[in-house]
Each structure stands twice: as C-alpha cells, then as structure tokens.
C-alpha cells in the first residue's frame, strides 16, 4: 500500500497511519514520502507555469516589436499553453494533479479558459473560480481551499495563470 493510499487525503495523516497498524517509524516514513510527493507535484506545477509565462512574454515581445498587432497571437498563445500542459501531463505522476491538468487542457481547448487576464483555479478536475491578480488569488488561499474541499471534496489545486499579459505589465 502506497503512502498516498494509506493517507487517503486524511486531514490527520498520523491518525490514518495508526489505523493501518503501521509502526511509528513506518508512519513517519510514509508521511515524509507523502510530503515529498506533494512537493514534487507543486514544483512541476510551477515549472509548467514558468514555461508558459516565458513563452507568453516572448510572444508579447515579438508582437510589440512588429509594426502591426497579430490578430492570431491570442489563439497561438493558448495553443502554446495547451502544448505546455500536455508536456506537464506527460511528466506528472500524481493522479490528482493529472486530473486537474486534463481539466486545464479541456478548458483551454473548449474556450472556457482562453486568452484571459485572470488566474483560474482548478480543483477536482473542474474550473472552480477566477481571480483578477496573483495577490487576490493567494490572499484568501486557505479560505478558497476550504471552500473547494467542502463543495467538491478533498483534492489537489492547480491554477492557470493569466495569458493576456504584456512584458511591461506588473504581475
């Protein structure tokens, strides 16, 4: 049984581990493995977001250096984001993260999340909210996570960053 299966999303991992009859040392080891899996997943999310932002900045810089605006740029930016999400999905090994990445891909391809100026949280495979800025998104993070868990059950958070950004804009 994997640490993730043992913990089962329990808010009290020690309690869940003790129920399974693990020794104290086994329980601590399982908790550390679970924490490392969460950290790895979060780092993959951050790397994916950074790849997307770098491409967006490059595309925006190219647009600003040309004499006319490219009407296809928003569509191309979203297509680039979908490529990045598919690469992140291929690298992911954490099922809740994979569910949310698939939802992000579907939302981008359907137009639900497109060339936008908002952050879009995804929880349990569903677009659940938007936030106008990074600060707004994270200021009430604990409240948001509690609200999502109450409405959709325990899961993992993924977010899509704004795509309509210019290099001169402050994030």
């Amino acid at each position: 049984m994997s640490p993730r299966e043992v913990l089962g999303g329990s808010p009290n991992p020690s309690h869940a581990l003790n129920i399974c009859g693990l020794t104290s040392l086994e329980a601590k080891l399982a908790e550390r493995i679970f924490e490392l899996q969460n950290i790895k997943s979060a780092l993959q999310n951050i790397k994916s977001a950074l790849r997307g932002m770098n491409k967006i900045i490059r595309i925006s810089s190219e647009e600003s250096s040309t004499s006319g605006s490219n009407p296809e740029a928003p569509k191309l930016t979203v297509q680039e984001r979908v490529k990045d999400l598919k690469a992140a999905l291929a690298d992911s090994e954490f099922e809740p993260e994979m569910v949310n990445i698939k939802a992000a891909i579907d939302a981008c391809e359907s137009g639900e999340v497109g060339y936008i100026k908002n952050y879009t949280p995804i929880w349990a495979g569903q677009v659940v909210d938007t936030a106008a800025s990074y600060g707004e998104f994270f200021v009430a993070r604990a409240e948001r996570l509690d609200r999502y868990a109450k409405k959709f059950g325990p899961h993992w958070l993924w977010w899509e960053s704004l795509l309509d950004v210019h290099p001169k804009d402050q994030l």
Side-chain angles (χ1 to χ4, degrees):
M1 183 176 284
S2 75
R4 191 178 318 129
E5 292 169 321
V6 171
L7 293 172
S10 171
N12 184 344
S14 297
H15 177 70
L17 292 168
N18 289 337
I19 289 172
C20 295
L22 297 177
T23 67
S24 177
L25 181 60
E26 290 170 330
K28 287 181 181 181
L29 179 60
E31 285 181 46
R32 296 305 169 252
I33 291 170
F34 186 73
E35 289 170 3
L36 289 173
Q37 289 172 333
N38 286 340
I39 291 168
K40 180 181 176 187
S41 180
L43 287 173
Q44 287 175 336
N45 191 353
I46 291 167
K47 287 191 323 191
S48 175
L50 287 173
R51 281 193 306 263
M53 292 304 295
N54 284 335
K55 287 182 181 179
I56 291 165
I57 290 170
R58 180 182 46 77
I59 290 169
S60 296
S61 295
E62 289 169 2
E63 284 179 12
S64 65
S65 67
T66 62
S67 58
S69 171
N70 180 358
E72 292 293 311
K75 181 179 176 181
L76 296 173
T77 301
V78 173
Q79 288 172 349
E80 285 293 321
R81 181 62 187 147
V82 169
K83 286 180 191 175
D84 288 339
L85 287 168
K86 288 180 178 178
L89 181 59
D91 291 342
S92 180
E93 298 174 2
F94 186 52
E95 184 62 29
E97 180 182 60
M98 292 188 303
V99 168
N100 288 340
I101 294 171
K102 288 176 188 174
I105 292 168
D106 291 344
C108 286
E109 290 179 338
S110 72
E112 182 178 6
V113 173
Y115 192 70
I116 57 173
K117 287 186 179 269
N118 295 315
Y119 289 84
T120 306
I122 297 173
W123 184 274
Q126 301 175 57
V127 172
V128 293
D129 213 347
T130 61
S133 69
Y134 184 82
E136 179 187 320
F137 182 67
F138 280 100
V139 162
R141 184 171 188 252
E143 179 273 325
R144 283 178 187 268
L145 296 178
D146 289 345
R147 183 169 27 106
Y148 304 154
K150 184 176 180 180
K151 186 171 182 178
F152 302 103
H155 209 270
W156 189 260
L157 177 68
W158 180 271
W159 71 88
E160 282 303 300
S161 298
L162 62 157
L163 293 179
D164 184 3
V165 64
H166 190 275
K168 295 178 185 174
D169 291 344
Q170 291 183 353
L171 301 178

